[in-house]
């Protein structure tokens, strides 16, 4: 089904998508003339395919469940925020806090991601083909963040048990984030994420470094008392 946001309101579009039943046969959707509108295809909970032909504003594909959503452009802050399942693919760049608090599913960003990518992630997998900005994976609890480019300052600050894989340089690590060895199971995991994340075949798991929690912030220590 084709939806032209030049002639139909965003509210009507999202209401239509929210009304879809799990067994719907209306599985292919194309959205044209998004013109940076906010919350496009937010709150979808159906096994459908949506293609947004252009760039979006805030919270595109937020709270996604089951759907595969591809944006043929760039996105504003909070893309795939609190995502539960499904797949979100951004062909361009993503602004701040992409995939924030995501609890499941796969977010792929084929360009660069700005600051706080994957902040407080809780099980989501994120694959960024370009670079990520500062404070990414801040307080990330679980899931995987894969970066084919470089990472900015304070990567993984106050990290819990999420796994971070970076191929390029890291400007600095945040509190309690350290480099960790790449074991065979991590190479296998990373190979699968790169494939599902539509990464270039030249991206090899052995070219990445793994970062994780030093687990020094889990318990009270008198030196940390104010």
């Amino acid at each position: 089904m084709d939806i032209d946001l030049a002639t139909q309101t965003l509210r009507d579009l999202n209401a239509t998508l929210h009304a879809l039943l799990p067994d719907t046969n209306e599985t292919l959707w194309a959205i044209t003339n998004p013109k940076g509108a906010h919350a496009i295809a937010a709150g979808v909970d159906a096994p459908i395919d949506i293609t947004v032909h252009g760039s979006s504003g805030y919270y595109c594909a937020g709270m996604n469940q089951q759907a595969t959503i591809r944006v043929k452009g760039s996105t504003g802050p909070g893309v795939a925020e609190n995502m539960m399942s499904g797949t979100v693919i951004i062909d361009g760049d993503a602004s701040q806090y992409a995939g924030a608090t995501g609890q499941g599913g796969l977010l792929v960003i084929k360009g660069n991601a700005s600051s706080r990518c994957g902040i407080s992630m809780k099980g989501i997998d994120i694959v960024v083909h370009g670079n990520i900005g500062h404070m990414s994976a801040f307080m990330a609890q679980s899931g995987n963040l894969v970066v084919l480019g470089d990472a900015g300052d304070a990567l993984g600050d106050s990290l819990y048990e999420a796994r971070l894989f970076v191929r390029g340089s890291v400007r600095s690590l945040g509190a309690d984030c350290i480099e960790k060895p790449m074991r065979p199971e991590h190479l296998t995991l990373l190979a699968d994420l790169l494939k599902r994340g539509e990464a270039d075949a030249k991206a090899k798991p052995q070219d990445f470094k793994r970062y994780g929690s030093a687990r020094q912030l889990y318990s009270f220590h008198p030196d940390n008392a104010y």
Side-chain angles (χ1 to χ4, degrees), residues 121-191:
M121 52 192 280
K122 297 177 173 68
I124 190 174
D125 292 325
I126 303 175
V127 178
V128 181
H129 290 200
N131 306 322
I132 59 173
H134 67 271
M135 292 295 290
S136 289
F138 171 65
M139 293 189 70
Q141 296 172 35
S142 64
N144 301 285
L145 172 60
V146 179
V147 183
L148 279 74
D150 302 328
D153 283 318
L155 175 69
D157 189 84
S158 302
L159 188 69
Y160 287 84
E161 291 304 307
R163 291 174 291 265
L164 316 179
F165 302 97
V166 182
R167 183 172 66 170
S169 63
V170 176
R171 184 169 295 176
S172 67
L173 295 175
D176 212 41
C177 183
I178 60 173
E179 184 179 345
K180 292 192 167 185
M182 285 281 276
R183 298 194 296 268
E185 63 266 30
H186 301 125
L187 294 172
T188 300
L189 170 66
L190 185 51

Side-chain angles (χ1 to χ4, degrees), residues 69-97:
I69 301 173
R70 182 184 289 270
V71 179
K72 294 206 171 277
S74 296
T75 60
V79 62
E81 186 267 347
N82 202 36
M83 180 175 171
M84 306 298 286
S85 63
T87 303
V88 176
I89 303 171
I90 312 304
D91 284 350
D93 299 321
S95 189
Q96 302 177 76
Y97 40 91

Side-chain angles (χ1 to χ4, degrees), residues 39-69:
I40 295 174
V44 176
D45 186 7
I48 60 176
D49 287 271
I50 301 171
T51 300
V52 181
H53 293 276
S55 296
S56 70
Y58 287 82
Y59 300 114
C60 178
M63 300 177 290
N64 183 57
Q65 295 190 69
Q66 304 188 67
T68 297
I69 301 173

